Amino acid sequence: MATGLADVTSKPEKPVGSHRRQPFGKWFVDKGWRHLVGVAAIVFALLPLAYILSASLNPAGTLTGSNQLFRAISFVNYENILTRDGGIYLTWYWNALVIAVVSSAATVLLCAMGAYAFSRMRFRGRRTGLLALLILQMFPQLLMIVAIFLTMIWITDVFPAIGLGTHAGLIMVYLGGALGVNTFLMYGFFNTIPTAIDEAAKIDGAGHARVFFTIMLPLVTPVLAVIGLLSFIGFIGEFAIASVLLTDPRDQTLAIGLFQLVSGFQSQNWGIFAAGAVLAAIPVMVLFLLLQRYIAGGLIAGSVK
Amino acid sequence: MADVKTETPTGAPPRRRGVEDPGFGPKRRLTSGGIVALVVKVVLLGIIDALAVFGLYVLIGKGDWVAAAVLLAVVALVNYIYLRPGILPGKYLTPGLFFLAIFQVFVIFYTGYISFTNYGDQHNSTKEDAVSQIIRTSQERVPDSPAYAVEIYRQADQYGMFVSEPGGDTAFGTNEQPLEEASGAPDGWERLNLNQILRFQDEVLALNVQVTDDVNDGTLRTQDGSTAFVFTSTLEYDEAADTFTDTESGVVYSDDGEGNFRAEDGTTLTPGWRVVIGWENYAYAFTNEQIRDPLIRVVIWTFAFAFFSTFLCFALGLFLAIVFNHPTLRGKKFYRILVILPYAFPVYLTGLVWAGMLNEEFGFINEVLFGGANIPWLSDPWLARLSVLVVNMWLGYAYMFLVCTGALQSLPDDVIEAAKMDGAGAWRIFRSIKLPLLFVAVAPLLIATFAFNFNNFPVIFMLTGGNPRFTDTTLPIGSTDIMITMVYKIAFGSGGGRDYGLASALSILIFIIVAIIAAISFRQTKSLEDLH
C-alpha cells in the first residue's frame, strides 16, 4: 500500500500522447475545471499568509492599516519587534528553538530506542507494553495540566534547577508524552527492516549498542527525520503547557510572547506582531518544504500500516 | 527471552575479525559495546546517582520519607538495569518509560486525586500555613504602641531583626523564631546598610517577628528598617479549641471540615487550606446550575467541533486530492506544494492571524471582502462557531490532502480497469470502488483526527479564547470553548480565581469520554490485530 507515497509531490507522471489538440469543451471537462479549483484552493490557502506578510511590511502597523495588501513596503515593524524591550523577541526565539530542538532530538532518540526494543526483542510484557502505549497516547498531556503544574511545584522544592520556570523542567514534561505518540510510527517502520541484517551483524560479533547505533539508525533515517520534524513543529508552537510552566517573560517562548503581544492590544500592535509572526513562521515553513516529501511519506506509511 | 536472542550469538562463537576484547564472552562484560560505551554509561549513571544523592539529602531534610524511599528505589532499579548484563529491553525502554511514568502515568492518578480536593487559589496550602497567613493578613498596629529601634540582619536568604526595646533590653528574632534576648546578632549574620535595605525592600517589609512564643501577642514589623511597631491580629487563634475569635465583634470562626474557618452566619476567613472533599467537585459539575448548563453546551459543542472539523478537513482534502490526481494535469506539482502550505504554518500563529482578519471593525474580511460590513464573526455565538470551523479547516485540510493523495495513488489499478471494462462511469467507480478502498486506508486516521480535534486547544484558544462569554455563569467560559480550553481557563484563567479541584474533575470527565471513544474505535478498526 505504501508504494505510491513517493508520488505525493514529486515525480510528475509522463504525459502519454496528450499533446494533441482537444476541443475546449472536452478539455474543460477533463482538466480545465481542475485548474479553476486549483486557483481557488491556492487563494484560500495563501490569502492569510499573503495578508500577514503584507501587514508585516506595512509601516502603518495597525489592524486597519493592514487591509490593503502590499501597498507600502517598509521594514520598520521588523526593526521594532527586534528591538522591543531590549530585544526580548530574540530571547523568545532562542528559547523556543532550544526547547524545540532539545525536546525533539531527545524524543527521536527515546522513541527509536523504544521501537528498537519492541521490534527486535521478545520479552514478557511486550504486547502489554505496546497496548499500554497505544492507550496512553489517547490522553494528551494537556488534560493533566493541573497535575503537571503541581508536580513541577513539588519538584522545584527538591531540584530547583529542573523545576517550575526552567527550560529543563519543560523539556522533561514534553518527554513524558514523547514515547506514546511516536513509538508506533517508528515501530512499524523498524518492522519493515529485515531482521537478517542485524542478525548478521550480531553473528559478526557486534553488540546490541553497535547494532542499534551503526546499523539500525542509519536504515531508519527517513522515519527519524519525519518524527523529528513533526515533533519540532509541535514543540515550537506548544502554548498551553509552556504558558503554565514558564512564568518569567525572559524564559518564555515565541508562542507565549506573540500571544501576549496581541491578546490585549490587537489593533495597535498588529504590525510588529505580523513581523514577529513572519519571522517565527519562516524557519518552520522552510524546513517543512525541504522535508515535505518525507513527511507525506511518513504520514501515509503510518496511516496505511 | 531477550537474553537468549540478543546476547548470545547463535551458532559460531564471536571470534571474528573486528571484535573487541576477544578474550571476553559477552556475558562477562560490563557492556556489550566498546570502551566508549562503557565510559558513556558510567558517566551518565554517575550523574544520575549524584543527583539522586542530592535529592535524597533534600528530601530527608524535609522529612519526606515516602518520596525519599521512592527515589531510592527508582535509582537502585536504574543502576541494576544498566550495570547487570542482560535485561536488554529494559536498557532501551527505561529512559522513555521514566519520563512516561512521571509525566503521563503518575499525573493521571494525581489528577484523579486532585479532583477529590478543594485545591485552588483559596485553598493552596496546609492548615498551619492558613492559620499563620490569616493572623498575618488581619494584623493592625497596636494603638499607641512604643517604637522599637531595630537593625536588619541577613544570612543567605534569611532575614533577622535586632531590636532595642524601649526599656533598654535587646533581642534578636526572625520570621521563624520569636524574639529572644541577645546582646547582638548571632555569628554569621551580616548587618544591612541603607542601600541594602532599599534593595531588599520586599524582604524587609515581609519581616514579621513574633514578640513572644504565642502568636496572639503580636509581631514586630518595620516599614523603614530602623523603627518597628507591634502589630497584633484582630483575630485571635485558640489552639485548643481550633477556632478564631474576632477581638472586636466577638464572632467565632471554627473549622467547618471543608478547609475553611467559618462563622455561624456562613462567612469564611481566607485563605482556607487543602482538604479532600470527596465527590463534591463532580457533584458541583452535575448539579450546580451555574455550571451544569454551560457544561452541557460545552460538551455538545466539543463533539460538534471535533466531528465537523474532521469531516470538513477530510471532505476538502479528499476533493482536492481527487482534483489534482489526474495523470496529465499541468502544474500539478505546483498546486500540490502551494496547497499544503497552511499545514506548515505554526498553529498558534494561525489562530492569531485569523483573529485579526476576522476582527469585526478593522479586519480584512469585513473591510475588504465584505466591503466595510460589520459582521460579528467572533462575537456572535453562531458566527464564532462557524469561524472556528472554517479556520480549523484551513489549518487541517492539507494533512488530509496529503493522506488522501497517497492513498489514491496506491489504489490497485487492476480493480479500476476491471470496473471500466464493465462499463462503470467515473462517478460510479469513485463511489463504489475508490471511496470504500480509501476508507479502509484512512479510517484509523479519521478517528485519530477526531480524537485530536476533541482536544484541539490552540485553535480555539488563539482564535476566540472561547468567547463570546456565556452570560449565565460566573465561570470564565463561552460559546466556542471546548472542554480542554474550559479546563485550562478554570485552572489557570485570570478571572474567577483558580480552581484546580474542579478543573481536575472536568479532566477526569474528559478522560472517561476519550476512553469510551477509544474503546469504540478499537473495536471498529481492530487495530490491535497489528500487534503481533
Side-chain angles (χ1 to χ4, degrees):
Chain A
M1 280 296 252
T3 45
L5 49 93
D7 279 350
V8 173
T9 51
S10 60
K11 203 173 96 185
E13 288 88 346
K14 280 274 176 289
V16 260
S18 68
H19 284 290
R20 259 172 286 142
R21 280 260 164 252
Q22 284 174 314
F24 178 78
K26 192 155 181 279
W27 174 83
F28 188 81
V29 169
D30 186 32
K31 278 187 277 186
W33 68 277
R34 293 172 197 262
H35 288 291
L36 288 186
V37 172
V39 170
I42 287 174
V43 170
F44 178 61
L46 296 193
L47 185 68
L49 303 179
Y51 167 77
I52 199 69
L53 183 62
S54 150
S56 76
L57 294 169
N58 190 320
T62 61
L63 204 49
T64 343
S66 307
N67 284 332
Q68 285 168 308
L69 296 184
F70 301 107
R71 182 145 181 258
I73 305 281
S74 128
F75 287 93
V76 63
N77 289 323
Y78 288 89
E79 219 178 293
N80 287 340
I81 185 83
L82 290 176
T83 53
R84 191 186 168 82
D85 286 340
I88 197 161
Y89 179 81
L90 287 177
T91 312
W92 293 337
Y93 214 118
W94 174 249
N95 292 341
L97 278 181
V98 167
I99 291 171
V101 166
V102 174
S103 306
S104 51
T107 297
V108 167
L109 183 65
L110 294 187
C111 284
M113 288 168 68
Y116 179 60
F118 280 123
S119 169
R120 288 304 199 259
M121 301 168 195
R122 294 292 174 271
F123 50 93
R124 215 152 24 104
R126 177 175 163 278
R127 265 190 71 105
T128 325
L130 277 169
L131 183 61
L133 281 185
L134 202 60
I135 291 170
L136 277 175
Q137 68 160 344
M138 305 256 173
F139 301 99
Q141 279 189 310
L142 198 45
L143 281 175
M144 285 85 88
I145 189 158
V146 172
I148 288 176
F149 174 67
L150 298 177
T151 306
M152 290 305 284
I153 289 183
W154 187 87
I155 289 180
T156 312
D157 281 349
V158 186
F159 298 109
I162 54 172
L164 207 61
T166 65
H167 293 171
L170 181 63
I171 291 169
M172 284 196 330
V173 172
Y174 286 160
L175 291 186
L179 209 53
V181 187
N182 301 311
T183 309
F184 268 86
L185 204 57
M186 285 217 195
Y187 168 71
F189 204 96
F190 274 60
N191 281 344
T192 65
I193 310 284
T195 47
I197 297 178
D198 38 303
E199 262 154 27
K202 265 180 231 142
I203 291 170
D204 284 350
H208 62 88
R210 177 174 284 258
V211 171
F212 176 67
F213 283 107
T214 62
I215 297 173
M216 286 306 279
L217 287 191
L219 284 174
V220 297
T221 312
V223 79
L224 301 184
V226 170
I227 291 189
L229 179 64
L230 289 182
S231 40
F232 176 81
I233 291 176
F235 289 136
I236 209 164
E238 204 284 325
F239 174 84
I241 297 177
S243 74
V244 169
L245 296 189
L246 302 178
T247 39
D248 186 340
R250 292 245 145 234
D251 294 330
Q252 285 171 342
T253 63
L254 273 180
I256 310 170
L258 286 175
F259 173 73
Q260 284 164 352
L261 203 58
V262 283
S263 62
F265 315 94
Q266 190 180 55
S267 186
Q268 294 91 323
N269 285 342
W270 195 247
I272 53 170
F273 162 74
V278 170
L279 290 179
I282 281 176
V284 182
M285 294 187 84
V286 167
L287 208 58
F288 184 90
L289 287 178
L290 289 178
L291 295 173
Q292 43 103 4
R293 191 175 314 177
Y294 298 110
I295 297 178
L299 287 177
I300 293 152
S303 75
V304 182
K305 199 190 85 65
Chain B
M1 292 300 278
D3 301 3
V4 176
K5 186 162 178 270
T6 52
E7 284 282 321
T8 353
T10 47
R15 306 272 196 272
R16 301 251 181 125
R17 271 175 299 141
V19 180
E20 295 105 340
D21 299 342
F24 292 90
K27 286 276 183 202
R28 261 170 295 148
R29 279 191 266 150
L30 264 178
T31 166
S32 63
I35 189 76
V36 179
L38 182 65
V39 169
V40 168
K41 181 191 279 189
V42 168
V43 168
L44 287 179
L45 275 181
I47 293 173
I48 291 170
D49 290 348
L51 281 174
V53 169
F54 172 75
L56 281 175
Y57 176 75
V58 176
L59 285 173
I60 291 172
K62 285 171 49 168
D64 196 341
W65 293 99
V66 180
V70 171
L71 181 65
L72 191 63
V74 169
V75 173
L77 185 69
V78 168
N79 278 288
Y80 177 77
I81 288 172
Y82 284 98
L83 289 179
R84 192 179 169 277
I87 338 175
L88 206 48
K91 289 190 172 76
Y92 280 87
L93 286 169
T94 301
L97 289 182
F98 175 75
F99 293 111
L100 186 82
I102 299 176
F103 293 110
Q104 187 95 24
V105 180
F106 167 74
V107 289
I108 289 180
F109 291 105
Y110 196 24
T111 305
Y113 169 74
I114 299 164
S115 74
F116 290 108
T117 70
N118 61 355
Y119 209 157
D121 255 0
Q122 299 302 322
H123 305 89
N124 63 10
S125 193
T126 60
K127 186 171 178 179
E128 276 173 17
D129 287 348
V131 168
S132 67
Q133 185 89 25
I134 289 171
I135 291 172
R136 278 158 200 261
T137 51
S138 62
Q139 275 178 334
E140 276 173 16
R141 187 182 155 187
V142 177
D144 310 323
S145 68
Y148 293 71
V150 295
E151 292 166 2
I152 307 298
Y153 285 82
R154 184 167 87 115
Q155 186 188 47
D157 56 352
Q158 276 215 319
Y159 292 80
M161 199 185 264
F162 180 69
V163 184
S164 313
E165 290 173 28
D169 291 341
T170 54
F172 184 81
T174 68
N175 269 341
E176 280 81 40
Q177 203 216 326
L179 279 187
E180 244 174 45
E181 277 195 33
S183 54
D187 286 343
W189 289 72
E190 161 209 4
R191 188 179 167 188
L192 296 191
N193 59 32
L194 193 60
N195 269 337
Q196 287 168 312
I197 287 174
L198 290 175
R199 215 172 99 210
F200 301 111
Q201 201 173 21
D202 290 345
E203 286 84 351
V204 173
L205 286 176
L207 195 54
N208 212 334
V209 183
Q210 289 185 25
V211 178
T212 67
D213 286 340
D214 184 358
V215 69
N216 290 322
D217 285 348
T219 60
L220 277 179
R221 305 172 79 168
T222 175
Q223 299 288 326
D224 53 9
S226 62
T227 40
F229 299 97
V230 179
F231 283 66
T232 54
S233 173
T234 50
L235 291 166
E236 199 162 274
Y237 182 59
D238 180 347
E239 219 164 315
D242 194 19
T243 54
F244 270 106
T245 311
D246 192 318
T247 48
E248 281 159 24
S249 64
V251 178
V252 176
Y253 298 85
S254 53
D255 184 344
D256 64 356
E258 289 174 14
N260 286 307
F261 285 107
R262 190 182 296 270
E264 275 180 10
D265 63 353
T267 54
T268 57
L269 298 175
T270 54
W273 62 96
R274 222 161 52 203
V275 289
V276 172
I277 53 168
W279 294 93
E280 214 163 284
N281 287 316
Y282 295 92
Y284 184 61
F286 283 113
T287 56
N288 187 303
E289 276 173 24
Q290 278 278 310
I291 178 161
R292 188 189 55 204
D293 297 346
L295 181 65
I296 291 172
R297 266 172 281 157
V298 168
V299 171
I300 293 172
W301 164 243
T302 308
F303 274 96
F305 169 74
F307 175 79
F308 286 114
S309 288
T310 311
F311 177 77
L312 288 173
C313 290
F314 176 65
L316 183 60
L318 176 63
F319 174 68
L320 291 177
I322 291 168
V323 168
F324 299 139
N325 192 38
H326 184 283
T328 61
L329 187 72
R330 270 162 200 259
K332 189 162 59 175
K333 194 175 163 186
F334 173 72
Y335 285 133
R336 279 178 176 163
I337 290 213
L338 288 184
V339 155
I340 59 165
L341 273 182
Y343 187 43
F345 197 61
V347 183
Y348 68 99
L349 291 175
T350 303
L352 297 173
V353 169
W354 276 91
M357 290 174 69
L358 289 167
N359 185 292
E360 186 177 338
E361 288 166 81
F362 321 107
F364 182 82
I365 307 269
N366 275 344
E367 284 292 301
V368 179
L369 298 186
F370 287 89
N374 273 0
I375 304 170
W377 293 110
L378 300 178
S379 46
D380 174 80
W382 288 104
L383 277 176
R385 288 176 182 139
L386 179 73
S387 304
V388 168
L389 285 176
V390 171
V391 171
N392 202 27
M393 179 168 81
W394 184 82
L395 197 71
Y397 79 92
Y399 170 77
M400 285 296 175
F401 169 77
L402 284 171
V403 166
C404 289
T405 301
L408 277 179
Q409 287 176 348
S410 60
L411 289 183
D413 288 334
D414 47 350
V415 183
I416 291 159
E417 281 304 316
K420 270 189 197 154
M421 296 286 218
D422 288 347
W427 171 245
R428 185 64 201 261
I429 289 178
F430 174 72
R431 204 174 56 90
S432 303
I433 296 177
K434 286 189 180 171
L435 201 57
L437 284 175
L438 201 71
F439 258 120
V440 174
V442 299
L445 273 186
L446 288 179
I447 294 165
T449 309
F450 180 87
F452 173 79
N453 277 320
F454 198 82
N455 290 311
N456 196 343
F457 178 90
V459 171
I460 306 279
F461 196 80
M462 298 295 175
L463 182 63
T464 63
N467 292 332
R469 279 276 288 267
F470 286 138
T471 49
D472 55 351
T473 174
T474 52
L475 291 171
I477 54 178
S479 314
T480 53
D481 262 317
I482 55 175
M483 295 182 75
I484 189 74
T485 58
M486 180 174 72
V487 167
Y488 180 87
K489 283 156 102 184
I490 289 175
F492 302 104
S494 44
R498 302 165 158 212
D499 192 338
Y500 302 139
L502 180 61
S504 297
L506 294 172
S507 286
I508 295 290
L509 293 180
I510 305 178
F511 275 150
I512 295 170
I513 295 173
V514 173
I516 293 171
I517 299 174
I520 293 171
S521 66
F522 268 154
R523 190 164 294 183
Q524 291 293 319
T525 62
K526 299 223 165 83
S527 53
L528 291 181
E529 284 175 9
D530 289 337
L531 304 176
H532 28 253

